[in-house]
Amino acid sequence: MPEPVPVPRDADHLLVSGEQMVQLEQQLFASGLPVEALMEKAALLVARHLLEHESLQAGALVLVGPGHNGGDALVVARELHLAGVAVRLWSPFERHKPLTTAHLRHASWLGIQQQRAEPDPADPAIWIDALFGIGQSRAPDERLQALLEQRQRQQPDRLIAIDGPTGLCADRGLPLGRVAACASLSLSIGLIKQGFAQDTALAWVGELERINLGLPAELLQTLPLQQPL
């Protein structure tokens, strides 16, 4: 029998944990790449993907987290707004990381609406989920879980997740609490997170696509030789 052809260890095939993805990003930052530059690159690619492949005629509600996942989403919101999409923001957090706060301030200057009240789960707009991303380690509070559950019941397949649905463990592919956000599309930034590829995650992740950051081949070779493909 012919020997099996080995699968290349490249960005199209590698599966990583959330922590490994963070470590790869830290290596880029240590090399001199500004955090702001990587955020812009990732978010511009996400915005381009959404404008090319998604119907946004009913507008978009961007769910903004306190960290850099929320910052990514604010850049996406900016680009959608500038492209003529009706965009609104909702962030149920009082404090945000400095870079995310700066993008919030710019979004306000652009005139993007920031709603204070909890969104209506029957909202016809596409929801763009960027509340926590891959850094999640505990379940969202019950009120947020209930909102996401109602969203799926009232507007199924009208949520897109940036780097993973809220409430889903990026390593194990299991909800961290009672439920997770139910996405029709999940965009995994850089590399596919191993939890998103598990059978248990399919109901929450929906269609899974990778946003290609063009990571240097040398960086990928720093991962262990036994890294899952």
Side-chain angles (χ1 to χ4, degrees), residues 45 75 106 145 199 228:
L45 290 168
V75 176
H106 182 60
Q145 289 188 68
D199 289 345

Side-chain angles (χ1 to χ4, degrees), residues 2-223:
E3 294 186 3
V5 178
V7 179
R9 294 182 72 250
D10 57 25
D12 285 330
H13 298 91
L14 285 164
L15 297 175
V16 294
S17 68
E19 180 59 31
Q20 284 179 315
M21 191 68 223
V22 170
Q23 290 174 1
L24 292 174
E25 291 176 349
Q26 290 301 321
Q27 291 183 62
L28 291 175
F29 301 148
S31 76
L33 181 70
V35 175
E36 296 88 340
L38 188 62
M39 179 179 288
E40 282 283 319
K41 183 176 184 179
L44 288 173
L45 290 168
V46 169
R48 183 183 306 163
H49 186 285
L50 295 178
L51 288 168
E52 290 178 353
H53 300 287
E54 300 300 321
S55 175
L56 300 171
Q57 293 180 350
L61 176 67
V62 181
L63 313 183
V64 180
H68 286 170
N69 188 240
D72 291 341
L74 287 166
V75 176
V76 172
R78 180 195 75 201
E79 294 302 302
L80 297 183
H81 171 78
L82 294 174
V85 177
V87 179
R88 290 170 289 128
L89 308 175
W90 178 65
S91 184
F93 306 97
E94 293 184 1
R95 297 182 180 180
H96 303 81
K97 284 190 173 183
L99 185 53
T100 303
T101 298
H103 282 297
L104 268 172
R105 186 168 64 248
H106 182 60
S108 179
W109 181 83
L110 285 172
I112 300 176
Q113 179 186 346
Q114 298 183 39
Q115 69 178 58
R116 304 301 176 190
E118 184 175 285
D120 179 358
D123 180 4
I126 285 283
W127 284 18
I128 299 176
D129 174 17
L131 291 171
F132 297 109
I134 61 173
Q136 302 174 75
S137 59
R138 59 186 178 185
D141 64 46
E142 178 55 35
R143 185 173 179 178
L144 183 54
Q145 289 188 68
L147 174 65
L148 295 171
E149 188 175 38
Q150 286 298 317
R151 174 62 179 179
Q152 177 60 11
R153 287 178 180 171
Q154 298 188 39
Q155 288 285 359
D157 301 325
R158 298 287 290 168
L159 183 144
I160 295 171
I162 298 180
D163 235 9
T166 290
L168 185 72
C169 176
D171 293 342
R172 297 181 295 118
L174 295 169
L176 294 162
R178 185 173 54 81
V179 297
C182 193
S184 60
L185 170 68
S186 293
L187 300 174
S188 190
I189 296 177
L191 299 171
I192 297 292
K193 315 313 179 295
Q194 63 190 32
F196 301 163
Q198 305 304 312
D199 289 345
T200 54
L202 295 179
W204 314 105
V205 169
E207 184 180 354
L208 178 61
E209 296 190 27
R210 184 176 70 87
I211 297 297
N212 185 6
L213 288 180
L215 297 172
E218 297 81 4
L219 183 68
L220 300 182
Q221 297 311 310
T222 65
L223 292 167

